[in-house]
Amino acid sequence: MTADAIWQFADDRGQVSTAPRWPTRVVAYIQAGAALWDHGLLPLGVFGSFHDGDTPDRAKSGRLPLGEVTSFGAGASFDPDRLLSAGADLVVAVSYGGGQVYGIEPDAAKRLEERLPVVVLDVGQDRSLDEIRGRFAALAASLGGAEPPVALDAARERLRTVATGDARVLALSPADADRVHLARPESWPDLRALAGLGVRMVEPPAGGGANWATVTWQEAASLAPRIVLADARAHAAALDATRLGATRVIPWNPELPASSAAHARFFGKVAEALADR
């Protein structure tokens, strides 16, 4: 820490951000902003990804009170100068590996880092859900936040107890009327956590991308899922659950906020579906 810095934090790129005063005007990627709010910290504003429109995606924002934060746009509409002129003193971004900032053009990210601290936390497939949650908790603690008491252990144990049958759970993101993206459970920390608690996750066919397998709806139905985790983000197409024969559909946010509260809610919804099957 430099002599004139009173705050510092080492992010997941191995870079240490410092500031001469405690950051209080934080702008965060919307997933990170939702996590900070769960730790009792209200960000100044949020920004989205290239998948998003100018309006923050309600599915991504968790319980963040969007009416009380400024939206700085998403993708090509994100303006770093507007963020700087608003008096932001810290940017919290996420990465899906390699340290590359998600949702901001590299040139824009570089301009920001020349002017103020930018903390990047890795939410990619190489991290466990516990590791991701721990990193956000550490950042929040450095900013004066703390998670309220949440019965996460109880939610996990409840899920482990009901995940004893043969109900097949398929996570997906509708593409269009003909195709659907099926999530590979090992590529998503939250789905991997479900599998670790005994949930029988459906594995998509081989081939295609590392995170998703794109198939026809008929091919998806042939996997005989009983419970579907359906991408609820605004850019996902609408789901017609009757095409899959599933008995239960649970809205799923692949960009789950990294907090005990969000994870307990997610585990609770899956446990409820498994108990009711």
Side-chain angles (χ1 to χ4, degrees):
M1 184 181 295
T2 61
D4 60 347
I6 67 168
W7 176 84
Q8 71 172 5
F9 187 83
D11 72 6
D12 290 343
R13 302 171 297 176
Q15 296 185 19
V16 179
S17 293
T18 63
R21 60 182 182 275
W22 214 281
T24 59
R25 297 177 64 80
V26 180
V27 176
Y29 179 63
I30 189 166
Q31 175 189 14
L36 292 177
W37 174 246
D38 282 345
H39 289 83
L41 299 168
L42 180 66
L44 167 70
V46 295
F47 60 92
S49 75
F50 290 90
H51 291 298
D52 300 328
D54 291 337
T55 302
D57 189 338
R58 184 72 264 185
K60 291 185 180 184
S61 61
R63 297 193 171 182
L64 184 67
L66 292 176
E68 300 178 34
V69 301
T70 299
S71 172
F72 289 96
S77 71
F78 174 75
D79 183 356
D81 291 329
R82 180 168 168 248
L83 183 154
L84 292 167
S85 66
D89 54 15
L90 173 66
V91 172
V92 179
V94 302
S95 171
Y96 281 90
Q100 183 172 349
V101 176
Y102 180 67
I104 303 179
E105 292 280 11
D107 287 345
K110 181 179 178 181
R111 287 176 61 195
L112 288 175
E113 293 210 69
E114 290 171 348
R115 299 283 299 277
L116 79 171
V118 176
V119 167
V120 181
L121 298 183
D122 193 338
V123 297
Q125 62 179 335
D126 292 336
R127 295 293 179 98
S128 72
L129 200 62
D130 287 347
E131 288 172 331
I132 295 169
R133 186 174 60 252
R135 292 296 288 145
F136 273 90
L139 174 61
S142 81
L143 297 170
E147 288 186 287
V150 175
L152 178 57
D153 287 342
R156 281 191 287 222
E157 187 56 38
R158 167 65 172 160
L159 182 54
R160 187 180 286 110
T161 299
V162 298
T164 56
D166 58 357
R168 294 164 56 82
V169 179
L170 175 65
L172 56 78
S173 181
D176 53 36
D178 300 315
R179 300 168 303 141
V180 56
H181 307 301
L182 307 183
R184 301 191 185 283
E186 282 300 310
S187 297
W188 298 91
D190 55 344
L191 304 183
R192 206 159 58 237
L194 292 182
L197 292 168
V199 177
R200 188 180 179 189
M201 300 299 302
V202 176
E203 183 65 40
N211 299 330
W212 306 95
T214 302
V215 303
T216 66
W217 285 100
Q218 184 177 7
E219 289 173 304
S222 72
L223 297 173
R226 303 309 301 159
I227 297 172
V228 166
L229 301 178
D231 190 347
R233 294 174 297 177
H235 69 268
L239 171 66
D240 179 359
T242 62
R243 304 179 71 175
L244 297 173
T247 59
R248 187 76 176 266
V249 175
I250 303 172
W252 173 49
N253 175 17
E255 300 181 53
L256 186 67
S259 70
S260 294
H263 296 173
R265 290 193 293 268
F266 177 60
F267 291 152
K269 290 178 182 177
V270 176
E272 179 185 0
L274 287 170
D276 289 348
R277 67 180 184 273

